[in-house]
């Protein structure tokens, strides 16, 4: 579809789900891929899958909430590939509960991973991209950032924060030919949505005009597009991949 030959991409949360699908899709498009997450066994499997398909990949064990680990992870990528062109901030967690009873640690852990983690990665990536005068940063937000969701104040705040972060950084770095965009997935079939009670799933499905859950490769395809040369005039944008669940 799009040609990413010669590009190097780092994807956080690449050990499973949307991040894994994105790592595979970017590699299929020709990028050399750094797959980052905490679970080293799953990362090794993703790297092996890319290698067996003829691509080049590196496992980067890293907790995005830990600044020292993020710094070391990016150094590992530069040591191996010598450059970085594409950053996908996809790592994300939930700690659901009603706001009135939300524990401070559940608020802080989610904000630290989903939002601060993205900033830490962006800072490391920009140090390279600003020199290269080319870059693509894609932040994985969520439809709930746009429509709200009961029981997810921490997650929704983190994902809405990512949209603000996307727009602020987009303005800061546009003059260096670096674009910064977000994708806002709807209800995607992954380990994150698997535990939802059947009644909640049925209710959500009834509200989705396309009448089905999304697939991780459909989110990955939107990310590959935003990472491409062809998307070079799109910045500060939020691309919905939600089956029509929310129309901005
Ligand atoms: P998932 O299967 O639970 O995957 C989450 C990924 O994030 C895993 O690879 C996990 O890897 C990684 N991760 C979590 N905490 C991390 C940390 N501290 N440092 C590094 N990596 C970390 O979920 P998913 O559905 O693929 O979600 C991917 C992204 O899409 C998330 O940001 C999520 O909020 C967003 N999203 C999902 C949906 C959906 O319906 N599924 C909808 C909207 C948005 P390790 O555990 O190995 O670290």
């Amino acid at each position: 579809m799009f040609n990413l030959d010669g590009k190097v991409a780092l994807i956080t949360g690449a050990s499973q789900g949307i991040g894994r699908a994105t790592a595979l899709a970017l590699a299929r498009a020709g990028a050399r891929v750094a797959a980052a997450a905490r679970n080293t066994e799953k990362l090794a499997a993703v790297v092996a899958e890319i290698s067996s398909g003829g691509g080049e990949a590196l496992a980067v064990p890293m907790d995005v909430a830990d600044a020292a680990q993020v710094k070391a992870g990016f150094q590992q990528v530069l040591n191996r590939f010598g450059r970085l062109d594409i950053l996908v901030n996809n790592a994300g967690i939930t700690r659901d509960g009603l706001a009135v009873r939300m524990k401070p640690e559940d608020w802080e852990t989610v904000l630290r991973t989903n939002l601060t983690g993205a900033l830490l990665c962006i800072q490391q990536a920009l140090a390279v991209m600003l020199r290269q005068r080319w870059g693509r940063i894609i932040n994985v937000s969520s439809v709930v950032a746009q429509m709200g969701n009961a029981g997810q104040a921490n997650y929704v705040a983190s994902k809405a924060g990512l949209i603000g972060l996307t727009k602020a950084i987009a303005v800061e770095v546009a003059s260096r030919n670096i674009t910064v965009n977000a994708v806002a997935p709807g209800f995607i079939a992954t380990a994150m949505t698997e535990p939802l009670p059947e009644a909640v799933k049925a209710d959500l499905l009834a509200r989705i005009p396309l009448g089905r859950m999304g697939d991780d490769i459909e989110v990955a395809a939107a990310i590959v597009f935003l990472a491409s040369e062809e998307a070079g005039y799109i910045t500060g944008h939020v691309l919905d991949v939600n089956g029509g669940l929310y129309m901005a």
Side-chain angles (χ1 to χ4, degrees):
M1 195 166 43
F2 296 102
N3 189 343
L4 297 177
D5 284 349
K7 304 291 190 209
V8 172
L10 186 150
I11 304 100
T12 68
S15 58
Q16 63 183 48
I18 292 167
R20 172 183 168 276
T22 300
L24 295 174
L26 288 167
R28 271 196 305 275
R32 288 173 288 166
V33 162
R38 294 164 304 176
N39 187 315
T40 49
E41 271 175 34
K42 288 185 182 175
L43 282 181
V46 173
V47 166
E49 199 171 342
I50 290 172
S51 304
S52 69
E56 197 178 341
L58 170 71
V60 182
M62 148 177 133
D63 181 342
V64 296
D66 181 320
Q69 288 189 34
V70 169
K71 194 168 179 203
F74 276 76
Q75 195 53 55
Q76 206 189 324
V77 176
L78 291 178
N79 291 346
R80 167 72 174 268
F81 296 124
R83 59 184 297 121
L84 179 67
D85 306 283
I86 299 160
L87 167 66
V88 183
N89 280 313
N90 164 79
I93 55 166
T94 54
R95 293 280 187 279
D96 293 353
L98 290 175
V100 70
R101 284 194 296 271
M102 187 166 283
K103 296 191 190 84
E105 57 266 34
D106 287 342
W107 172 266
E108 276 151 22
T109 306
V110 169
L111 268 290
R112 175 100 200 148
T113 302
N114 297 6
L115 185 55
T116 309
L119 176 71
L120 293 174
C121 291
I122 287 170
Q123 288 174 324
Q124 294 297 321
L126 284 181
V128 186
M129 291 175 180
L130 287 168
R131 277 203 308 274
Q132 290 176 182
R133 292 186 171 267
W134 197 97
R136 296 281 187 266
I137 296 174
I138 298 119
N139 297 318
V140 180
S141 179
S142 169
V143 68
V144 298
Q146 301 158 312
M147 58 190 267
N149 201 23
Q152 290 200 307
N154 48 0
Y155 182 77
V156 170
S158 73
K159 294 297 183 179
L162 269 180
I163 291 178
L165 182 69
T166 297
K167 293 178 182 182
I169 309 275
V171 177
E172 285 190 16
V173 299
S175 66
R176 301 296 181 95
N177 206 22
I178 300 167
T179 68
V180 189
N181 292 289
V183 294
F187 186 31
I188 311 298
T190 68
M192 188 174 273
T193 49
E194 207 274 325
L196 287 175
E198 284 311 313
V200 174
K201 286 187 188 173
D203 174 59
L204 265 165
L205 283 175
R207 290 158 50 203
I208 299 171
L210 281 174
R212 63 174 177 84
M213 293 176 79
D215 198 276
D216 53 17
I217 56 174
E218 295 174 306
V219 182
I223 293 171
V224 171
F225 165 61
L226 290 172
S228 71
E229 195 69 57
E230 288 84 347
Y233 201 54
I234 303 173
T235 198
H237 182 71
V238 182
L239 181 51
D240 296 338
V241 188
N242 65 24
L245 175 60
Y246 180 84
M247 300 189 191

